[in-house]
Amino acid sequence: MRNVRMRWMGGLVAVVAGALLPGATPAAAQTVRGVLHAEVKHLDPHWTTANITQQHSYMIYETLFSLDSKGVPRPQMVDTYRVSPDKLTHTFTLRNGLKWHDGKPVRAADAVASIKRWAVKDAAGQKLIARTASLEVVDDKTFVLKLKEPYGLVLRALAKEYSYVPFILPERHAIQNPANAFEGEKIGSGPFVFSEKDWVPGVKTVYLRNKDYVPRSEPPDYYAGGRHAKVERVEWIVIPDPSTAVAALQKGEVDFLQSPHIDQWPILKKDPNVTMRKVDVQQMQIHPNHLVPPFDNIKARQALVHMVDQRDYLRAIAGDQENWTVCWAYLGCGQWLETDAGAEPYRQPDLAKARQLLQDAGYKGEKIVVMAPSDIATINAASLTTAALLRKIGVNVDLQVMDWGTLTSRRPIKDPPSKNPAGWHIFHTTSNGVALSDPWGHANISTRCAEAWFGWPCSPRATKALDDLGNTAPGSPEFKKLLVEYHSALMENIPYVPVGEFNSNSAWRKDRLEYTSTAPYVLFWNMTRK
C-alpha cells in the first residue's frame, strides 16, 4: 500500500508541478483531470465487464448504435440501415469519415468480427447470435445480418450501453479469442486516442483529442448524437485515498471525481466551487462461485442469504438512510420489472438457520476465499461486512485484499482454491440501474451455466422463464405471470445475493467544467473546460 501511495503522490506532484511550469497555462486550460472509481488495468472491453475498462473504451471506441435519453437506439457508426419486409434481413452501411487512430478506414469486416467476438460472452449478444442465420460482409462499408426468426431487440442489443458494451474493434483484434485479452496496439476510432506512452500504471492514464475524428451532426443526447472532443487532453489520476482525492478537487489539482466517498459528501456539498450530483443507483451483490464447494450446493447459497441484513451492508456502504434502499428485487426497486417474488423467506436475517444450512451443505471448516478490493470503498465495505458475518456463522474465512484490477483478473478462474491459489469462493460487485432493468442483457444475472457470468449460475428454469418473458407483450397478464416465475426461479437458484441499493454521486469543479451529461458513465466528449 505504501508503494501505491508513493506512486500516486509522485504522480500528483508531477501533475501539479507541470501545471506551474512557465508557459503551462494554455495546455492546462485544454486539459481535464479526473479521478475515476478505479485504476485502468485491463484494456479489452470484450474480455472483462469491469466498469473502468468500459469507461476507458468509451474514450477510444465507438458502437454501431447508441441510446438516446428516451432509450431509443440511434445510429452512431452506422449511416443507414434497412430491414426486409419479413424482418429477417438487416442491412447496415457505415458512415463516411470513420478512421482508426492509425489513419486506416473502419471497415464492415471490423464490425462483423467485433459483433461475433462480443456475442461470445455478452448475454444480449448470445441471444442475438442464437437467432442469427448468417452475419456477412458485403463490401468495405456494408454488412448483412440474416435471422432465423424475427427478433425485435437487434438494434437494442447493438446499442447496449453497459457491460459488455458492443464496442467495434479493429478486425485484427476482434478475431482473437475473447477468453483472453487481445494483443496489439490499443487503437479505436472514437473522439479520444489512448496515449500509451503517457500511461503510468498506478499514477495516471492519458487520452488525447483525436484530430481526425468526424462527429455526427445530430446534437448530443445521452450516449447518442455528436461526440465533440472539446479539450486536447484528458488525464485520469490515480488517488486511492478518498480524503486526498477530495482535497485535490478543492485545490483545483483535479477537476472531476467520479465516485467520492460517502464520508466526503458533506464537505463537497458545502464547497461553492463544486457541483455534486446523483448520477445513478447501484445494487451491491455477493457473488458465490457455483462451481466449487460449498456453494455448488444450494443450501450454502441459501445460508448466504439468511445471514444478510441489508441494512448493515447499506449503512457501511452509504451511511445515512436517505442514501440507500432495502431491496430484494433482482431487477431493481422502482424499475419497470420490479418484483420480489420468492424473497419472502429471506427478509429477516437468521444466523442460526444460516449456520445449519452450511452444515447441511457439507461444510466442514475449509477456508473460504473472499476477494476484497482495497481501492473501491463501497465494494470493500461490503466485502468486510460479508467476512464478519461469515465468521459469525462458523466459516473459516480467508479474506484476501487486493486491488480491483487483480480481482477482475482472478474472477474468471473456475478452479477451487484447493487446486489453484488464484481460485476463489466469493467476490462482490455492483450493477447500475440501467443494467438491472434489462435482464436480457445484464451479464451478472445470467443463469446460462457455462455461458453465464463469473460464478457460473445454472438454472434452466430461470433461463427459460427469461426467454419466454422476452417473447411476451410487456404489461400483459401473461407477461406479469412470467415475471413472477422468472424472479421466483432466481430466488430458488440464487445466482448472487442482492444486498440493497445505494445512490452514486459524482462531483466536479463547476468553476472549471461545463458538464451536462446524465449518462451513468462519465462522458468526456462534449465536456468543456472553462
Side-chain angles (χ1 to χ4, degrees), residues 241-281:
D241 182 76
S243 298
T244 307
V246 168
L249 183 73
Q250 292 187 299
K251 293 176 183 175
E253 294 166 353
V254 298
D255 308 301
F256 199 102
L257 301 184
Q258 184 180 24
S259 303
H261 192 278
I262 180 71
D263 292 345
Q264 309 301 320
W265 290 4
I267 298 172
L268 293 170
K269 288 178 179 177
K270 292 179 182 177
D271 192 317
N273 294 318
V274 172
T275 289
M276 192 172 74
R277 191 175 74 197
K278 175 184 172 183
V279 294
D280 207 351
V281 171

Side-chain angles (χ1 to χ4, degrees), residues 156-452:
R156 180 63 182 86
L158 297 178
K160 188 183 173 192
E161 76 281 32
Y162 60 92
S163 302
Y164 299 93
V165 177
F167 291 111
I168 303 304
L169 280 55
E171 183 185 23
R172 60 185 180 279
H173 297 157
I175 60 175
Q176 298 182 34
N177 186 348
N180 305 306
F182 69 77
E183 296 180 355
E185 72 278 32
K186 309 303 183 287
I187 62 169
S189 62
F192 287 98
V193 177
F194 173 57
S195 182
E196 192 159 4
K197 69 180 179 58
D198 292 322
W199 184 28
V200 184
V203 177
K204 65 179 179 179
T205 308
V206 177
Y207 304 90
L208 306 176
R209 184 173 72 87
N210 177 8
K211 295 179 174 59
D212 294 330
Y213 181 74
V214 180
R216 295 192 67 87
S217 59
E218 299 90 340
D221 182 9
Y222 206 52
Y223 293 96
R227 298 178 175 182
H228 300 266
K230 296 186 175 181
V231 295
E232 294 295 326
R233 183 180 177 100
V234 175
E235 297 181 353
W236 295 355
I237 310 298
V238 179
I239 306 180
D241 182 76
S243 298
T244 307
V246 168
L249 183 73
Q250 292 187 299
K251 293 176 183 175
E253 294 166 353
V254 298
D255 308 301
F256 199 102
L257 301 184
Q258 184 180 24
S259 303
H261 192 278
I262 180 71
D263 292 345
Q264 309 301 320
W265 290 4
I267 298 172
L268 293 170
K269 288 178 179 177
K270 292 179 182 177
D271 192 317
N273 294 318
V274 172
T275 289
M276 192 172 74
R277 191 175 74 197
K278 175 184 172 183
V279 294
D280 207 351
V281 171
Q282 300 281 336
Q283 180 193 68
M284 183 59 70
Q285 304 161 356
I286 305 171
H287 284 264
N289 189 338
H290 289 232
L291 300 183
V292 303
F295 300 113
D296 58 345
N297 188 314
I298 179 59
K299 291 184 179 180
R301 301 198 297 276
Q302 290 171 340
L304 290 180
V305 192
H306 280 293
M307 80 174 191
V308 165
D309 186 335
Q310 291 192 352
R311 294 165 296 184
D312 289 343
Y313 278 86
L314 293 166
R315 279 192 286 265
I317 294 166
D320 297 337
Q321 191 168 357
E322 64 182 8
N323 301 319
W324 49 264
T325 304
V326 170
C327 178
W328 285 101
Y330 272 104
L331 309 182
C333 286
Q335 301 277 4
W336 74 294
L337 294 173
E338 179 182 356
T339 174
D340 60 359
E344 188 60 36
Y346 302 113
R347 292 187 187 282
Q348 296 300 321
D350 188 336
L351 297 182
K353 189 167 186 176
R355 191 178 295 111
Q356 183 61 53
L357 283 165
L358 264 183
Q359 293 175 6
D360 293 346
Y363 178 67
K364 299 187 184 322
E366 301 88 349
K367 281 187 177 179
I368 298 298
V369 174
V370 178
M371 298 194 295
S374 58
D375 51 348
I376 300 181
T378 53
I379 301 179
N380 178 264
S383 304
L384 299 182
T385 302
T386 294
L389 288 170
L390 285 171
R391 292 184 177 113
K392 283 187 177 181
I393 63 173
V395 172
N396 181 10
V397 177
D398 181 3
L399 182 66
Q400 299 186 6
V401 179
M402 63 198 74
D403 59 47
W404 182 246
T406 301
L407 189 154
T408 58
S409 296
R410 288 180 55 178
R411 64 185 181 183
I413 296 172
K414 295 182 177 179
D415 296 334
S418 59
K419 293 185 177 178
N420 185 337
W424 55 275
H425 291 96
I426 289 174
F427 75 94
H428 300 67
T429 191
T430 60
S431 290
N432 63 27
V434 176
L436 297 177
S437 65
D438 178 21
W440 299 277
H442 185 202
N444 295 29
I445 207 169
S446 173
T447 53
R448 298 172 66 88
C449 309
E451 294 180 355

Side-chain angles (χ1 to χ4, degrees), residues 41-52:
K41 290 199 171 183
H42 306 295
L43 304 176
D44 183 347
H46 295 171
W47 177 74
T48 178
T49 55
N51 278 332
I52 192 64

